[in-house]
Amino acid sequence: MAERVCVELVDDLDGAPAQSTVQFALDGVNYEIDLSERNASHLREVFRPYVERARTVTQRNDRAVRKDRVARNKRRADQREATQRIREVAERSRAHQRAVREAEEEARRAELAAAAEASAQELALSQQPPAQEAPAQPAVDPARPTVALPQFSSATG
């Protein structure tokens, strides 16, 4: 199946058939308008005194555009690198703070353990019966076997 597309230009001012698209710029904005020959010549006639006294502006060359792009990319890379360095310093700071907190907690646990140990020793000493003189040991008869009996304390604890 074949298809044919026809584009018909219509004058944007009066709706008559247009012969050309006229491009112009004003205040840094580019415009284009479809005009008939009569309206296009009228537009050019209106602009003529201004165009005669105006300066032409050359487009920036590709080298300058490329140079600007390179400078912008370098600036962005430098900013990313600086951001990364800041993040690394912040992470080291957080790690140092964690290490200090853990050391302080370990020191507190060691203090509590030492205090608990001291309390346990004081309690053990306070519950210990007073030292008594050892009873005289009877003479050991080698013919009789020796039996050791456990000693029981009546102290409650």
Side-chain angles (χ1 to χ4, degrees), residues 10-156:
V10 177
D11 191 308
D12 290 330
L13 291 180
D14 59 14
Q19 284 77 30
S20 62
T21 300
V22 178
Q23 297 179 350
F24 61 97
L26 183 64
D27 294 332
V29 180
N30 294 322
Y31 298 95
E32 71 177 30
I33 187 169
D34 297 329
L35 296 174
S36 65
E37 285 299 320
R38 188 180 66 123
N39 285 336
S41 63
H42 179 69
L43 177 65
R44 287 184 180 96
E45 193 62 37
V46 170
F47 271 107
R48 184 180 323 281
Y50 301 100
V51 170
E52 288 173 354
R53 289 172 180 82
R55 306 180 284 285
T56 58
V57 178
T58 58
Q59 295 292 329
R60 292 178 55 175
N61 63 14
D62 288 342
R63 185 177 298 157
V65 171
R66 217 175 303 123
K67 192 175 181 181
D68 287 348
R69 188 178 309 128
V70 168
R72 184 176 52 246
N73 290 343
K74 180 172 179 1
R75 204 171 37 252
R76 286 180 182 164
D78 291 345
Q79 289 171 344
R80 281 192 297 267
E81 184 179 335
T83 301
Q84 184 61 31
R85 286 181 187 166
I86 290 169
R87 287 179 177 156
E88 289 171 0
V89 169
E91 181 56 36
R92 284 195 306 264
S93 177
R94 283 191 293 268
H96 175 72
Q97 290 171 351
R98 273 193 304 270
V100 167
R101 274 196 310 270
E102 289 171 1
E104 288 172 350
E105 289 172 7
E106 185 62 34
R108 271 190 244 118
R109 281 194 292 270
E111 276 182 34
L112 289 174
E117 179 77 24
S119 294
Q121 287 176 354
E122 286 178 17
L123 182 62
L125 289 175
S126 69
Q127 290 179 351
Q128 204 173 33
Q132 297 176 355
E133 288 186 28
Q137 293 289 333
V140 177
D141 184 8
R144 288 188 175 179
T146 309
V147 177
L149 298 175
Q151 294 182 356
F152 294 100
S153 170
S154 63
T156 59

